[in-house]
Amino acid sequence: MPKTELKNVVDIFCGAGGLSAGFSKAGYNVVTGIDNNENSIETFRANHDCEPIVGDIQRQDVISDIKEAVSQNGYNTEEIDLVIGGPPCRGFSMANVRSDSAEHPLNELPARFLEIVRKISPEAVLIENVPRLLTVADGKFKQSIIARLESMGYNTTYGVLEAEKFGVPQKRRRVFFIGHKSAEPELPTQAEFEFKLPVTVKQAISDLPELPTGGGGELKMEYSFDNSEASEYVAEMRRHEEPGVVMNHRTTRNQEKTYRRFKHIPQGGNWRDIPEDLMKNYTNRQQTHDHIYQRLEEHEPAKTVANFRKQMIVHPTQNRLLSVREAARLQSFPDDYHFKGSSFNARQQMVGDAVPVNLAYSIGKSLRNCHATGELSSV
């Protein structure tokens, strides 16, 4: 007999916990998460009310570790209603344009994810990845995911969602596959928040304190102004944080030869706006990506924020790179979500790799009434 609602969630390839944060916000109970990155697990543990585990998904017996973690958190696998996860996408990303074959080693991870789903057998499943998964290897991976979900008894849908339409101040595209055993799933088509969409960069980060030219900042700082002066989006981000205090507002400190380049870049510009005599170390300009040294436009949502340090994403009005907290805001992480880890670079990477929280929330909210209605409600 079908259950009346989805509740208990296990997050596979959980990373820093963006998917879980969104589903928690939508009212789900996150039972555990698993990832092979210790920095990500430290961050997940600090922000979720459950014990996650460090584990290698490629190990054949990893399901035993997951079941043990579920048990240690007070549940059994029969109580898991939903398995969610984003198998690492570097094998499918635009940075790996040569991986359009089935042979890239990271491209096997969706299959491992689905094997775990088969052994847990939840009522529903959610898979997140980059849109190129749909076309890589002539669509082989898309077809394989759908076929395997259907073979396990799931009604399945998939599609690409635009993050800025779901409460995220960032133009980020992600593909989602949803499988459900007792309903015909649909992807959400609209979102409702207490702030107007789309959210611009300025609306997302303008309350954060100014940092020095070239970068800097501290682990713990004070906001530039109180919550009453902030945008509606910022008020939402600051709702649960310690009054007047912001964490993780730090950025890479660049050498003078690097930050001299920043002042030449207009909003919306990139490395092409920098005089050639300041870019002598870029010997192969034909292979330099347009997103390098890109300055954000304050009155638009941000471009995709991946590894914002390696991308050299520049603040819209200050001559420095983005801070961890600014990138987290652009990923819709609330300010009480603190990023841990052994290094500053690790925290930057975690934020860039995460699923935007409000995008995950929108999907989670649309799934809330799936059992009761026989169809996914709009957000």
Side-chain angles (χ1 to χ4, degrees):
M1 182 175 180
K3 299 178 182 179
T4 56
E5 68 172 345
L6 302 174
K7 180 179 179 182
N8 297 324
V9 176
V10 167
D11 191 346
I12 311 295
F13 302 106
C14 64
L19 265 179
S20 284
F23 273 76
S24 294
K25 183 178 178 179
Y28 292 80
N29 174 46
V30 178
V31 172
T32 193
I34 180 172
D35 199 277
N36 67 355
N37 185 288
E38 293 185 3
N39 295 309
S40 295
I41 289 298
E42 183 181 354
T43 294
F44 191 100
R45 180 181 293 115
N47 293 283
H48 295 276
D49 189 22
C50 65
E51 183 60 29
I53 54 172
V54 178
D56 184 358
I57 306 299
Q58 293 180 304
R59 280 183 34 243
Q60 291 301 314
D61 61 347
V62 72
I63 187 65
S64 298
D65 296 337
I66 296 172
K67 289 182 177 180
E68 182 178 354
V70 169
S71 177
Q72 289 178 346
N73 282 301
Y75 299 86
N76 60 60
T77 52
E78 288 73 23
E79 295 176 285
I80 302 304
D81 303 309
L82 177 62
V83 171
I84 63 177
C89 62
R90 292 185 183 89
F92 305 129
S93 71
M94 290 302 293
N96 288 280
V97 293
R98 297 179 182 178
S99 66
D100 277 355
S101 71
E103 299 174 1
H104 194 291
L106 289 179
N107 292 352
E108 293 302 317
L109 294 177
R112 291 292 301 133
F113 176 92
L114 289 168
E115 181 62 17
I116 292 170
V117 169
R118 184 183 68 80
K119 292 180 178 179
I120 295 178
S121 191
E123 180 67 21
V125 57
L126 173 75
I127 303 173
E128 175 271 343
N129 216 292
V130 294
R132 284 190 73 249
L133 181 147
L134 299 178
T135 57
V136 74
D138 296 324
K140 170 187 173 181
F141 290 97
K142 176 193 72 175
Q143 296 162 8
S144 176
I145 288 170
I146 294 172
R148 293 192 66 174
L149 285 172
E150 290 178 347
S151 73
M152 290 186 278
Y154 292 100
N155 302 310
T156 305
T157 192
Y158 70 93
V160 175
L161 296 183
E162 301 173 358
E164 69 270 26
K165 295 181 179 179
F166 297 94
V168 181
Q170 180 188 167
K171 296 176 181 177
R172 193 181 188 105
R173 306 291 180 266
R174 283 296 182 270
V175 63
F176 292 90
F177 294 81
I178 300 176
H180 202 296
K181 288 185 176 179
S182 58
E184 292 293 338
E186 295 177 4
L187 291 168
T189 58
Q190 60 183 359
E192 295 179 3
F193 293 94
E194 295 180 5
F195 45 85
K196 184 179 178 181
L197 301 178
V199 180
T200 68
V201 171
K202 183 176 182 178
Q203 290 168 335
I205 67 173
S206 62
D207 67 313
L208 298 174
E210 185 171 349
L211 298 181
T213 294
E218 303 294 337
L219 180 62
K220 189 173 184 179
M221 302 181 73
E222 293 185 357
Y223 292 105
S224 293
F225 46 79
D226 66 38
N227 215 354
S228 64
E229 301 176 73
S231 71
E232 292 175 335
Y233 178 82
V234 165
E236 175 70 19
M237 295 297 101
R238 287 168 58 166
R239 180 170 293 176
H240 306 295
E241 186 55 289
E242 179 182 348
V245 174
V246 60
M247 303 289 291
N248 296 125
H249 187 44
R250 296 175 57 212
T251 185
T252 301
R253 293 180 185 270
N254 293 117
Q255 297 178 357
E256 181 180 359
K257 66 178 182 181
T258 300
Y259 69 69
R260 283 175 59 202
R261 298 167 178 167
F262 297 159
K263 67 179 181 180
H264 296 281
I265 308 170
Q267 292 192 22
N270 59 21
W271 67 272
R272 298 180 187 277
D273 298 293
I274 302 171
E276 289 191 23
D277 65 312
L278 295 179
M279 296 285 286
K280 291 179 180 179
N281 59 318
Y282 284 74
T283 55
N284 192 342
R285 297 170 71 90
Q286 299 301 318
Q287 293 188 10
T288 302
H289 292 289
D290 285 343
H291 60 246
I292 298 295
Y293 283 103
Q294 186 169 75
R295 189 185 290 273
L296 298 179
E297 297 180 73
E298 60 183 330
H299 298 301
E300 295 286 339
K303 298 293 180 65
T304 300
V305 175
N307 188 313
F308 48 97
R309 179 183 63 84
K310 292 180 181 178
Q311 287 178 278
M312 303 292 285
I313 297 180
V314 184
H315 188 280
T317 61
Q318 300 172 37
N319 288 324
R320 60 171 177 82
L321 304 181
L322 289 180
S323 73
V324 172
R325 180 51 54 194
E326 286 165 339
R329 285 275 188 88
L330 298 177
Q331 288 274 61
S332 61
F333 279 99
D335 287 2
D336 63 352
Y337 207 96
H338 297 165
F339 294 89
K340 307 290 184 177
S342 60
S343 71
F344 184 42
N345 289 347
R347 292 188 285 276
Q348 291 174 313
Q349 185 71 58
M350 279 188 285
V351 176
D353 286 346
V355 178
V357 175
N358 281 349
L359 179 57
Y361 163 75
S362 296
I363 296 172
K365 190 177 178 183
S366 77
L367 278 165
R368 290 301 300 171
N369 298 322
C370 187
H371 286 279
T373 64
E375 60 184 12
L376 287 181
S377 65
S378 61
V379 179

